[in-house]
Amino acid sequence: MEILRFIVTRAALGVLTLLAVSILLYLGTQLLPGDVASALLGQSATPEALAVLRAKLGLNTPAYLRYLHWLWGVVHGNLGSSLTTGTPIAGVLLPRLANTLFLAGYAAIIAVPLAVGLGILAAIREGGILDRLSSTLSLATISFPEFFVSYILIVVFASQLGWLPSLATVYGGMGFWNRIDATTLPAMTLTLVVVAHMLRMTRTSTLAVMSSPYVETAFLKGLSRTRVVLNHALPNALGPIIAVVALNLAYLVVGVVVVEVVFVYPGVGQLMVDAVSKRDLPTVQACGLVFAVAFIGLNTLADILAALANPRLRGSRGR
Amino acid sequence: MKIAGHRVPVTVYIGGFIVLVTLIVILFAPWVAPYPQTKIVGGVWDLPDAHDWLGTDSIGRDMLSRLIYGGRTSVTIALVATFFTMLIGVGLGFLAASTNKLVDSILSRIVDVLLAMPILIFALMVFAVLGTSIPIMIATISTLESTRVFRLARAVAMNITVLDYVQVARLRGEGVGWVIFREILPNALPPLIAEFGLRFCFTFLFIASLSFLGLGIQPPAADWGSMVHDNAQAISFGGFAPLFPAAAIALVTIGVNLIVDWLLSIHALPAGAGAEV
């Protein structure tokens, strides 16, 4: 029952955080000097134009009522209308969300097994070639901006070799394999961006368990290093590793913004950047909320999975 | 060679060399750059040759000269933003640790909410309302990023406030200002210097990304991120133009990271200090 209580508490905390963030996303604009309408229209706005925009944004009602009204709409799938096009945001956002999830999922399917596998190998042969290579690689990927990795891949695989398209053009009704072909380069970029960090953290979690007395006992029994790592250390390192994976998937959600812009991929990130440059506030808020749900959701999931995989939390369950 | 009793590995020399050369080049830009930054010297996206070492940009200006001048903007703005980040973060962190429980709880809860989201999303939100300009960008980044510094500064200061000499100062009747500046700060400096380096890397990359998205530094000022943005199309014509500013960003970040890694290895940070994203 202990574990169930933990899950409920942690999930409730996640929802609470999400609420706090949504208040900040929606009402954070209140803290800024002036009101949203005058900020959007600039210094030279006529009083009439200001009044129209204020009415359109509903700025004449109190802030907390506006927030509750917005939240009520969001819960019922109504994200409001775009300021620039006047169309409902949900209709534009949902297909793009599907695209973003497809890209992030594609990257995750490559990155997670690769990083966890190599991380464990690096831990088995601590100080070996793979281990040292991975530490150099992680310095590089921490220091390289996403667009640098993207352009290197584009120059190599699209311009020079001509194997893959340099723009990730996707459209409705596109075949699955065509879609895979179009999104391979952005997915590779995202993989490279997260893989090294995930690998290092997997290695560290495994090595942390390796220093405990029971692992030393396993060594003293005469077992091979491979066997000790896989059968003795790994089961206990699994909790932290799962947390690491979920945490990095959350990072992927943000990394996707820049990568989508590089490859002109029609996802939520690109929509948000477009909306920011057009100063289309309701669309930006909707996109921000989508990212918040994904980010906080994955972080909450990371905590819960880590607890599920940890025998110490399972131990107090009645046998 | 040793600095303060610690052996200096070769990676630190490499990092130091990169940082030093960058600083000298951008400081003496008018003497180092082969051409003025606005002079049109060739065609659009000429490939590198003996005349223009790194080729030309989207309107035929010398890429190398643009890089050297652009570095001034990139590095200066990142430094200013990092400075304010540290100022706000360390100030509030020390305040939370050295005043009463109420201040600490309020500050910590606010920071928790801001930590729950990637900086990029909040920053985009602010830019949508206020538009993009350099002062707004610096203010936004340093406010958002100071939440990351706050946790470290608070954790470090918490470890110091329980020490006897701080208690003695308090009993002597010294105010919060004395405790923060005379008792805590001198002892918290080493981890904070490493944190400054880390924050610089993050801010530098973050501003580059914003400029790349077209939301950071606006023309006519050029920085490396916006140079990538402006020259991105060259890739479709078989050029490499956006790779040069992107590589410059990566190189400087690697240089600083090599030094920071070493600093971190000497002064291990307290647990829970490294909250990224």
Side-chain angles (χ1 to χ4, degrees):
Chain A
M1 275 304 93
E2 202 76 10
I3 189 75
L4 200 68
R5 188 189 297 164
F6 175 82
I7 292 175
V8 172
T9 323
R10 189 62 191 81
L13 187 67
V15 172
L16 221 66
T17 315
L18 193 60
L19 268 178
V21 168
S22 78
I23 291 176
L24 212 62
L25 278 179
Y26 191 78
L27 293 183
T29 53
Q30 297 290 316
L31 302 174
L32 305 168
D35 76 340
V36 178
S38 50
L40 286 177
L41 291 177
Q43 298 273 318
S44 54
T46 60
E48 291 79 17
L50 277 175
V52 169
L53 186 61
R54 281 203 183 105
K56 204 169 166 185
L57 289 170
L59 290 184
N60 299 324
T61 44
Y64 71 96
L65 277 181
R66 254 184 300 139
Y67 170 73
L68 289 178
H69 185 249
W70 178 72
L71 194 66
W72 183 253
V74 168
V75 172
H76 291 81
N78 175 17
L79 293 167
S81 311
S82 157
L83 276 187
T84 44
T85 61
T87 50
I89 297 167
V92 184
L93 191 66
L94 285 179
R96 280 173 174 263
L97 180 60
N99 284 343
T100 295
L101 290 178
F102 182 84
L103 177 58
Y106 186 8
I109 285 174
I110 309 173
V112 174
L114 193 71
V116 173
L118 289 178
I120 293 168
L121 270 181
I124 291 178
R125 301 191 195 290
E126 191 192 354
I129 296 174
L130 183 70
D131 196 17
R132 274 177 289 165
L133 197 72
S134 77
S135 100
T136 314
L137 191 77
S138 76
L139 175 70
T141 52
I142 290 166
S143 309
F144 285 11
E146 284 99 344
F147 49 80
F148 187 41
V149 180
S150 306
Y151 286 126
I152 292 176
L153 290 179
I154 290 178
V155 166
V156 174
F157 291 101
S159 309
Q160 303 296 318
L161 295 171
W163 289 354
L164 293 161
S166 62
L167 297 181
T169 323
V170 294
Y171 45 87
M174 194 178 183
F176 178 74
W177 291 110
N178 285 336
R179 201 172 268 261
I180 287 282
D181 187 52
T183 49
T184 295
L185 276 185
M188 269 169 75
T189 308
L190 284 173
T191 304
L192 283 174
V193 170
V194 293
V195 92
H197 191 230
M198 230 191 288
L199 192 164
R200 292 307 288 176
M201 285 168 83
T202 305
R203 171 188 173 276
T204 315
S205 314
T206 314
L207 285 179
V209 178
M210 297 286 286
S211 59
S212 52
Y214 81 94
V215 172
E216 199 178 335
T217 313
F219 273 122
L220 291 175
K221 279 198 306 193
L223 297 180
S224 73
R225 193 170 169 88
T226 313
R227 180 123 186 242
V228 173
V229 171
L230 292 182
N231 293 0
H232 296 253
L234 197 58
N236 270 329
L238 214 56
I241 290 176
I242 292 170
V244 165
V245 167
L247 220 63
N248 278 279
L249 291 185
Y251 177 75
L252 217 113
V253 170
V254 194
V256 101
V257 175
V258 171
V259 173
E260 279 179 2
V261 172
V262 175
F263 291 94
V264 201
Y265 184 73
V268 184
Q270 206 208 23
L271 180 69
M272 187 168 186
V273 172
D274 269 358
V276 170
S277 47
K278 288 176 190 151
R279 308 188 67 181
D280 178 356
L281 201 55
T283 307
V284 177
Q285 279 165 339
C287 294
L289 191 71
V290 166
F291 281 119
V293 170
F295 195 79
I296 295 170
L298 280 167
N299 270 317
T300 309
L301 196 68
D303 279 5
I304 292 176
L305 287 178
L308 280 176
N310 187 340
R312 284 184 196 89
L313 266 170
R314 274 203 313 243
S316 53
R317 199 167 49 181
R319 297 202 180 118
Chain B
M1 200 187 96
K2 285 187 172 188
I3 294 177
H6 294 281
R7 220 173 54 79
V8 183
V10 67
T11 49
V12 176
Y13 285 110
I14 300 173
F17 179 74
I18 294 173
V19 171
L20 210 66
V21 169
T22 311
L23 285 180
I24 290 173
V25 165
I26 61 175
L27 217 61
F28 297 102
W31 291 276
V32 182
Y35 301 98
Q37 58 170 333
T38 47
K39 193 178 179 204
I40 293 171
V41 296
V44 172
W45 292 322
D46 283 349
L47 290 177
D49 56 25
H51 187 62
D52 309 300
W53 289 359
L54 297 180
T56 57
D57 76 350
S58 55
I59 52 172
R61 292 168 298 195
D62 180 51
M63 179 60 85
L64 180 62
S65 310
R66 298 279 294 165
L67 264 189
I68 292 169
Y69 281 99
R72 283 186 156 184
T73 323
S74 285
V75 174
T76 313
I77 292 183
L79 271 179
V80 172
T82 315
F83 175 76
F84 283 115
T85 303
M86 295 300 288
L87 202 68
I88 303 171
V90 173
L92 291 181
F94 282 6
L95 202 66
S98 54
T99 50
N100 56 46
K101 199 115 185 92
L102 183 71
V103 177
D104 185 24
S105 315
I106 292 173
L107 284 174
S108 295
R109 287 300 81 74
I110 295 173
V111 165
D112 279 349
V113 173
L114 284 167
L115 275 173
M117 278 290 286
I119 290 177
L120 180 64
I121 306 302
F122 275 134
L124 289 182
M125 196 65 222
V126 176
F127 296 154
V129 179
L130 291 182
T132 44
S133 73
I134 292 176
I136 290 176
M137 186 172 69
I138 291 178
T140 310
I141 294 175
S142 34
T143 311
L144 291 174
E145 225 180 294
S146 63
T147 55
R148 275 70 179 164
V149 179
F150 172 85
R151 289 231 309 212
L152 170 81
R154 182 176 167 278
V156 170
M158 280 291 188
N159 287 340
I160 298 172
T161 45
V162 294
L163 296 177
D164 290 342
Y165 61 83
V166 183
Q167 304 294 338
V168 168
R170 284 227 171 102
L171 289 175
R172 219 165 49 219
E174 306 289 3
V176 174
W178 176 285
V179 170
I180 288 180
F181 288 107
R182 301 299 290 272
E183 310 291 344
I184 299 178
L185 190 62
N187 294 290
L189 266 185
L192 291 182
I193 290 170
E195 179 70 7
F196 185 89
L198 262 185
R199 281 302 126 202
F200 175 80
C201 288
F202 186 86
T203 313
F204 188 67
L205 284 179
F206 188 68
I207 293 177
S209 294
L210 285 177
S211 298
F212 169 75
L213 293 175
L215 304 171
I217 293 153
Q218 304 293 325
D223 76 318
W224 290 341
S226 52
M227 285 173 70
V228 178
H229 174 85
D230 295 341
N231 293 300
Q233 295 296 322
I235 294 274
S236 323
F237 300 100
F240 311 104
L243 286 183
F244 299 121
I249 296 164
L251 191 71
V252 171
T253 318
I254 288 181
V256 179
N257 257 329
L258 285 173
I259 302 173
V260 170
D261 268 0
W262 177 65
L263 287 175
L264 286 177
S265 70
I266 334 180
H267 302 288
L269 292 175
E276 230 21 85
V277 190

